[in-house]
Amino acid sequence: MIARIMGEGQVKLDDAHFTELNKLDDELLEEMESGDVEGFRRTLGALLDAVRRMGTPLPDDALEPSELILPSPDATLGEVREMLSDDGLIPG
């Protein structure tokens, strides 16, 4: 799957990584629902770091369609809330 972190670039993620990413996504949803801004910031950072670590960066000139779009590291709770689907940021 091709993922884009807004303001950064694209990475290719193997499907095997989605179990770990979904755990972080679930944590992020819980923190958003409870209004835990500090936890939200921490977990968003951890989620983006995991995507960067597990993903293979695509060249800057590659323009592949992104199947997953993630917020920038400095996105607000409200901005992320607007990006959510029923499954959170990560499908599944």
Side-chain angles (χ1 to χ4, degrees), residues 1-86:
M1 174 180 284
I2 304 295
R4 172 178 299 281
I5 298 175
M6 294 175 69
E8 290 187 23
Q10 293 179 302
V11 297
K12 183 171 182 151
L13 289 167
D14 187 272
D15 290 345
H17 299 300
F18 281 89
T19 300
E20 181 179 342
L21 295 175
N22 275 317
K23 287 179 186 176
L24 289 167
D25 191 37
D26 290 344
E27 266 183 62
L28 190 68
L29 278 173
E30 288 176 22
E31 291 158 351
M32 291 178 67
E33 288 172 1
S34 70
D36 180 358
V37 177
E38 185 178 310
F40 162 78
R41 295 253 46 98
R42 182 183 59 249
T43 304
L44 177 59
L47 175 64
L48 297 177
D49 286 345
V51 168
R52 291 181 195 107
R53 184 181 75 250
M54 292 183 226
T56 303
L58 296 181
D60 289 338
D61 60 350
L63 293 174
E64 300 291 326
S66 299
E67 299 163 280
L68 176 62
I69 299 177
L70 297 170
S72 66
D74 61 348
T76 66
L77 198 141
E79 291 168 335
V80 174
R81 187 171 278 129
E82 290 177 14
M83 297 177 70
L84 293 177
S85 70
D86 290 339

